[in-house]
Amino acid sequence: MTEIRRIAINTGGGDAPGLNAVIRAVVIAALNRGWRCTGIRDGYNGLFLGDTYPNGDGLIELTRQRVSGITHLGGTILGTTNKGNPLRYPMRDPGGKVIEVDRSDEIMRGFRRHEIDALVAIGGDGSLSIAEVLHRKGLRVIGVPKTIDNDLDKTVITFGFDTAVSFATECIDRLHTTAEAHRRVMVVEVMGRYAGWIALNAGVSGGADVILIPEIPYDLAKVGQALQQRFEAGRQFAIIVVAEGATPAGGTHSVVAREAGRADRLGGLAEAVAGQLQELTGFEARHVVLGHLLRGGSPTTFDRLISLRFGAAAVRALAEGQDGVMVALDPPTVRYVPLNEATARMKRVPLGCDTILTARELGMCFGD
Ligand code: F6P
């Protein structure tokens, strides 16, 4: 294995609180080993679209000073993108039609040209699948599991999730008082793509009456019945938490946009559910979409610590000669799992998990 002199770091996909903490930990741990650190801007764009950046500035030298004081900051100092997956990069053919092109060989040439010996790829399933392809093409890669959705397999948790759940829970708390004051049904939509982790954890913690998640297709009539019973019992308001990727039984996802080179954009479910329930039950219903608020702000203490631990572990992995692995939380420790195992399938909420059992025992309805 060649000696490491210079590593690169990139952040891909939707941002998540904790990205800057990971970057800081990687940079300091690497500099302390005598390695240079380069940040790639906006996923892989800074590497293979470098000339489009002002002053050709797609790569940033990451010094101790550049990562000073960023642990608590949301966002990412490197920028990120969830458009233009380089394996399915949208381009126009001579006839003007949008086609998807695999540009991974250009990326590999970029790493060689800049004499980068290894990459720490911080991302969710999409970004880590790209990193896995680069690893198969010969790049030394360590992945760090990021996403507010918590849908990456082989790690107990991804960083960013705890911050998203904490904020969603706070919002549910706030909705309780206004729902009760107006005797309304409040339907709150949270992100999470095709997994219900955020909705489930925030819904249970916030004491929701109904939680709709992608793993349990819902029947609106059953949700209506649960509301009727609650109102008849004298509790004349209700909180419903819906995951953006939940579906009615036999129905499909609520998609608001579809574009080449990127994942479908989900949305619109809370509004639809609120309207349908108002019609069905006669109870006044309002909807709130928390959306990108869940991705913003400072990481919680839990997310800061796990991000710093993941970042330091990624550099330790490289120093130990690991390659093609993702650092993963396996309490009480952090371990390494092959990238191809981590990205092989989505981690969805297991139907028999303790949190779902708890919710059912507390009388919460999943619409099934
Ligand atoms: O994967 C993170 C996430 O925030 C999902 O929960 C959500 O569906 C998606 O990204 C939104 O992406 P965008 O920022 O492109 O709207």
Side-chain angles (χ1 to χ4, degrees), residues 9-147:
I9 309 172
N10 74 344
T11 54
D15 67 328
L19 278 169
N20 283 323
V22 179
I23 294 169
R24 180 165 175 272
V26 171
V27 171
I28 295 175
L31 294 177
N32 283 341
R33 284 178 164 86
W35 306 345
R36 278 179 67 195
C37 269
T38 299
I40 306 174
R41 288 175 60 182
D42 309 326
Y44 293 93
N45 289 356
L47 190 65
F48 78 109
L49 303 175
D51 355 328
T52 62
Y53 283 78
N55 314 317
D57 206 9
L59 300 182
I60 309 172
E61 186 72 20
L62 293 172
T63 59
R64 182 74 181 73
Q65 211 176 356
R66 229 165 176 152
V67 298
S68 167
I70 63 171
T71 301
H72 65 293
L73 299 180
T76 157
I77 60 165
L78 298 178
T80 186
T81 178
N82 54 11
K83 296 199 277 232
N85 173 347
L87 307 181
R88 292 170 36 203
Y89 197 81
M91 294 180 84
R92 291 202 182 267
D93 71 6
K97 188 167 155 261
V98 177
I99 51 164
E100 294 181 344
V101 179
D102 178 356
R103 301 186 68 175
S104 55
D105 287 337
E106 286 170 67
I107 293 180
M108 290 301 288
R109 282 197 291 278
F111 280 113
R112 281 194 290 271
R113 193 169 64 249
H114 293 284
E115 299 183 325
I116 293 167
D117 304 307
L119 169 71
V120 174
I122 313 172
D125 57 342
S127 309
L128 295 186
S129 301
I130 298 166
E132 208 269 320
V133 170
L134 300 179
H135 161 66
R136 275 193 272 123
K137 289 188 175 228
L139 184 69
R140 256 175 101 173
V141 177
I142 305 293
V144 176
K146 165 237 68 168
T147 167

Side-chain angles (χ1 to χ4, degrees), residues 170-180 186 188 239 288:
E170 185 191 328
C171 292
I172 295 168
D173 290 347
R174 287 169 182 251
L175 290 172
H176 260 102
T177 48
T178 175
E180 186 164 16
M186 298 299 296
V188 52
I239 303 287
V288 184

Side-chain angles (χ1 to χ4, degrees), residues 8 22 52 75 117 135 150 170 175 194 201 209 263 281 290 317 330 337:
V22 179
T52 62
D117 304 307
H135 161 66
N150 194 36
E170 185 191 328
L175 290 172
Y194 304 108
N201 285 25
D209 306 293
T281 61
L290 297 185
D330 185 8
V337 293

Side-chain angles (χ1 to χ4, degrees), residues 82 148-149 191-193 244 262 265 292 295:
N82 54 11
I148 63 162
D149 304 339
M191 284 185 167
R193 241 191 260 280
E244 61 178 359
R262 61 189 302 179
R265 191 141 66 86
H292 293 84
R295 297 217 311 240

